[in-house]
Amino acid sequence: MKKTDTADLWWKNAVVYCLDVETFLDWNNDGVGDFAGLAQRIDYLAELGVTCLWLMPFYPTPDRDDGYDITDFYGVDSRLGHHGDLVEVLRMAKDRGMRVIADLVVNHTSDQHPWFKASRSSVTSPYRDFYVWRKDLPTNQPETVFPGQESGVWELDEKTGEYYLHRFYRHQPDLNVENPAVREEIAKIMGFWLELGLSGFRVDAVPFFIEGDPGAVAGDEYGDPHDYLKSLRAFLGRRTGDGILLGEVNLPREEQLTYFGGEAFDELTMQFDFVAMQKFYLSLAREDAAPLAEALASRPRLGQPAQWANFLRNHDELTLDQLSDAERDEVFTAFAPDEDMRVFGRGIIRRLPTMLSGDPRRIRMAYSLLFSMPGTPVLFYGEEIGMGENRDISGREAVRSPMQWTPEPNGGFSNAKPRRLTAPVVDDGYAPRFVNVAEQRHEPGSLLSFIRTLIRTYRNSSEIGWGDFEVLDQPNRAVLAHVVSASEGRMVALHNFGPDPVSLELTIPDTAAGTRLVDLLTTGEVTLSDDGAGRFELGGYGYRWLRVIEPGSRRLY
Ligand code: GLC
């Protein structure tokens, strides 16, 4: 494919970085991170190699679900700054070639949103149909997303004696997307932020968002919810040309393709690969690459504009809901042995380094994989320095502690008194005095320097984002050997999930005589025999990225 055809599909080889302004950097020392603080760190992110920032919700909120409960879709939470501060961040990011996307949380609002206040006030309110109301409690209730915290998805509202739908917490009533007036509002919200300079959205809870009333009886549904998603994508396309919808769809493989729009690829631009993420942890626990290899091989094939977003950790619990009970137990036993490291019976509240007991070899192998798996990598803030979680913060939010910039007690996040911080700083072996940006930034052997190298190499290897992918046959179960191929070139990546060094005989398909495989993360190379075979050494938990250099190739390595 020609460069000119593809240059505008910027997300195909982006580096996405997710952060919450509230916990990133507090510039006015009130204990809460702010846009002025983020502006101070745009150069840090550019230096890391980030090309797309994903901002978690920054809208006005009663903050009962960390900002995913919104009272004004057009506003900026005053604790974080105002629109001017946000626009300043957008300008600075743009100046450094960085895009910005933000969470679009329109499955629901906060129960404090003026629409819901009006909706619940009377059955004749003009806003009544902005939400999903039922006179009687529907039988066949779907399960709640938050077992142990919520008992169902319908809540009786005393004032009118009817039930409203809440797929998440009861203080997050679901918007009624069957209502054309709601759809118009959602389009306006998107249009507003796009006009201000966002390059798209991370779309929250997509399957719940586009579904109709789950209490509807057969024949009473509103049609195909995917038509609605298609119309949103078309709207985004008309407004921006190259904006993206990065969707949260934690569903089995069979269903994922439909959220891309089937073969038309006219719905979500990108989806997080929840399946590969979960199988990755199973592979780590078993020291067996097979579960991950199978997960990658089972991906539906995507048309050119669509893309997978790879991640090892996000801001929620590390969900293992798509593993079997026995598989989940294996991962729990390996990485979350205590009950209080788990949540909702399906997930882990720890970050990767603590799960791996800080073993630098395994941590580096994991990130080497993240950046070499076919797709677009997504980092959650603090991963680049190996931050741990703070288990004093309850449940899922344990991983949302303040970013650690310096060795000082508040980690350089804020000069406010510790008790005034929006969330407590990590206070154990992963505390700022042990894990921080300042000390890792100029240290060539640090995790931060390593991640920077991975990002730089990933950005020089467009075949990772663009290419076809194949797992190479080899006899060692602990090893994942894969090749990504695009017209620009090919790269082979080797990852050892086990502690023992291995020596592998590999055959790289379709290679000309005299082809060399040149290491990209270190110096070294292997010359293949005329039939494409070579021998590769890999340390315990080792990793190698190798560029395929055919005779006469001008590809940089
Ligand atoms: C998504 C978010 C999660 C939030 C929920 C409700 O799953 O990732 O953090 O609680 O939606 O908005």
Side-chain angles (χ1 to χ4, degrees):
M1 91 208 38
K2 283 198 259 69
K3 268 271 183 234
T4 43
D5 297 336
T6 57
D8 52 349
L9 306 187
W10 57 270
W11 57 91
K12 291 286 279 192
N13 55 355
V15 176
V16 183
Y17 187 97
C18 168
L19 66 89
D20 190 353
V21 175
E22 187 183 355
T23 52
F24 205 57
L25 183 65
D26 169 21
W27 202 243
N28 64 357
N29 292 319
D30 64 353
V32 182
D34 40 44
F35 279 104
L38 174 55
Q40 295 292 326
R41 291 295 184 266
I42 293 293
D43 282 316
Y44 164 78
L45 295 165
E47 171 188 307
L48 182 59
V50 171
T51 64
C52 177
L53 274 187
W54 153 22
L55 302 181
M56 286 171 65
F58 52 76
Y59 317 99
T61 171
D63 221 8
R64 295 179 67 192
D65 183 17
D66 203 23
Y68 283 88
D69 48 331
I70 297 168
T71 51
D72 176 6
F73 287 115
Y74 298 100
V76 172
D77 181 343
S78 59
R79 298 172 316 141
L80 313 182
H82 51 57
H83 286 98
D85 302 314
L86 165 68
V87 168
E88 192 60 11
V89 162
L90 296 180
R91 185 198 67 79
M92 290 178 73
K94 187 173 176 187
D95 194 41
R96 281 126 181 107
M98 213 186 284
R99 311 244 175 187
V100 182
I101 64 172
D103 256 284
L104 179 70
V105 189
V106 283
N107 171 69
H108 49 262
T109 66
S110 156
D111 62 358
Q112 300 306 306
H113 194 291
W115 294 341
F116 190 67
K117 287 188 176 169
S119 181
R120 78 194 318 183
S121 67
S122 94
V123 292
T124 56
S125 157
Y127 285 95
R128 187 66 170 179
D129 288 341
F130 266 51
Y131 297 84
V132 185
W133 293 95
R134 289 258 142 188
K135 285 198 180 61
D136 305 306
L137 187 62
T139 47
N140 293 335
Q141 281 215 39
E143 270 175 42
T144 171
V145 177
F146 299 130
Q149 296 187 3
E150 290 292 345
S151 52
V153 302
W154 295 96
E155 180 74 8
L156 178 67
D157 197 42
E158 298 295 342
K159 179 91 195 284
T160 56
E162 294 189 0
Y163 297 84
Y164 65 85
L165 176 69
H166 61 93
R167 279 299 195 159
F168 294 93
Y169 292 109
R170 76 189 69 173
H171 58 76
Q172 291 168 319
D174 274 37
L175 282 165
N176 174 15
V177 294
E178 296 184 43
N179 181 347
V182 169
R183 291 185 175 200
E184 230 170 84
E185 291 290 349
I186 291 173
K188 255 188 252 170
I189 293 161
M190 290 171 64
F192 176 82
W193 293 108
L194 294 172
E195 209 62 38
L196 220 54
L198 290 192
S199 294
F201 303 95
R202 179 266 185 187
V203 191
D204 193 54
V206 179
F208 296 138
F209 159 45
I210 64 169
E211 76 173 356
D213 173 358
V217 288
D220 194 16
E221 301 97 348
Y222 80 109
D224 186 353
H226 288 279
D227 290 341
Y228 179 41
L229 196 50
K230 284 184 204 304
S231 72
L232 286 180
R233 172 68 180 279
F235 173 76
L236 178 88
R238 288 196 303 278
R239 289 289 170 99
T240 65
D242 67 351
I244 61 163
L245 297 177
L246 164 54
E248 182 195 25
V249 182
N250 180 15
L251 289 175
R253 285 282 186 243
E254 312 79 83
E255 290 176 64
Q256 288 178 314
L257 190 59
T258 62
Y259 286 85
F260 279 119
E263 302 298 325
F265 299 105
D266 56 358
E267 296 184 29
L268 294 174
T269 329
M270 295 174 85
Q271 285 179 53
F272 294 103
D273 193 344
F274 278 94
V275 177
M277 182 279 287
Q278 302 189 32
K279 295 288 186 181
F280 160 75
Y281 283 97
L282 185 61
S283 277
L284 266 188
R286 285 189 182 163
E287 303 191 341
D288 175 355
L292 177 62
E294 283 155 23
L296 293 174
S298 73
R299 283 175 166 181
R301 244 186 105 82
L302 300 186
Q304 204 189 75
Q307 179 69 315
W308 295 105
N310 295 318
F311 68 108
L312 303 183
R313 196 65 181 88
N314 69 8
H315 61 290
D316 287 326
E317 77 280 6
L318 191 153
T319 184
L320 302 169
D321 61 340
Q322 293 206 49
L323 301 183
S324 71
D325 291 350
E327 291 171 340
R328 187 165 41 251
D329 278 346
E330 279 180 68
V331 179
F332 276 158
T333 307
F335 301 134
D338 302 340
E339 194 52 47
D340 67 352
M341 298 169 175
R342 309 173 190 172
V343 69
F344 305 136
R346 63 164 184 253
I348 297 178
I349 63 165
R350 311 177 84 188
R351 282 183 179 249
L352 179 90
T354 56
M355 285 191 273
L356 296 180
S357 311
D359 185 339
R361 296 171 309 162
R362 289 180 100 182
I363 294 169
R364 284 168 195 234
M365 192 280 282
Y367 285 108
S368 165
L369 244 174
L370 174 68
F371 285 97
S372 60
M373 279 193 289
T376 294
V378 182
L379 276 178
F380 180 54
Y381 76 91
E383 284 194 277
E384 71 275 25
I385 52 170
M387 262 173 67
E389 67 286 347
N390 187 339
R391 276 200 278 148
D392 294 341
I393 317 175
S394 72
R396 305 183 293 169
E397 296 184 19
V399 297
R400 305 186 199 173
S401 62
M403 179 67 182
Q404 298 174 190
W405 299 104
T406 70
E408 294 154 283
N410 280 351
F413 162 69
S414 169
N415 288 338
K417 295 222 160 45
R419 64 182 162 72
R420 292 192 62 209
L421 301 190
T422 184
V425 173
V426 172
D427 189 23
D428 55 16
Y430 293 83
R433 65 184 182 282
F434 305 113
V435 176
N436 64 72
V437 171
E439 288 173 354
Q440 291 192 29
R441 192 154 170 236
H442 304 293
E443 170 56 53
S446 68
L447 182 63
L448 179 58
S449 298
F450 176 67
I451 302 270
R452 232 170 13 215
T453 302
L454 290 177
I455 293 180
R456 196 176 54 234
T457 316
Y458 162 86
R459 288 181 58 179
N460 270 310
S461 308
S462 54
E463 57 265 57
I464 299 172
W466 280 99
D468 289 327
F469 150 85
E470 197 184 329
V471 174
L472 297 174
D473 264 348
Q474 47 79 36
N476 200 313
R477 286 191 72 80
V479 174
L480 179 71
H482 73 270
V483 55
V484 278
S485 319
S487 57
E488 268 114 333
R490 286 203 286 170
M491 195 189 95
V492 172
L494 308 177
H495 289 88
N496 184 0
F497 284 78
D500 303 321
V502 293
S503 173
L504 291 173
E505 170 89 14
L506 280 179
T507 301
I508 316 301
D510 309 322
T511 43
T515 296
R516 295 175 303 145
L517 263 60
V518 182
D519 272 294
L520 300 180
L521 301 176
T522 174
T523 46
E525 66 175 68
V526 174
T527 301
L528 301 181
S529 66
D530 286 355
D531 54 0
R535 178 153 294 278
F536 298 84
E537 311 300 325
L538 206 51
Y541 302 121
Y543 47 84
R544 283 175 83 172
W545 297 19
L546 300 131
R547 179 91 72 228
V548 180
I549 302 291
E550 310 256 353
S553 163
R554 309 196 50 204
R555 191 69 198 279
L556 198 59
Y557 44 85

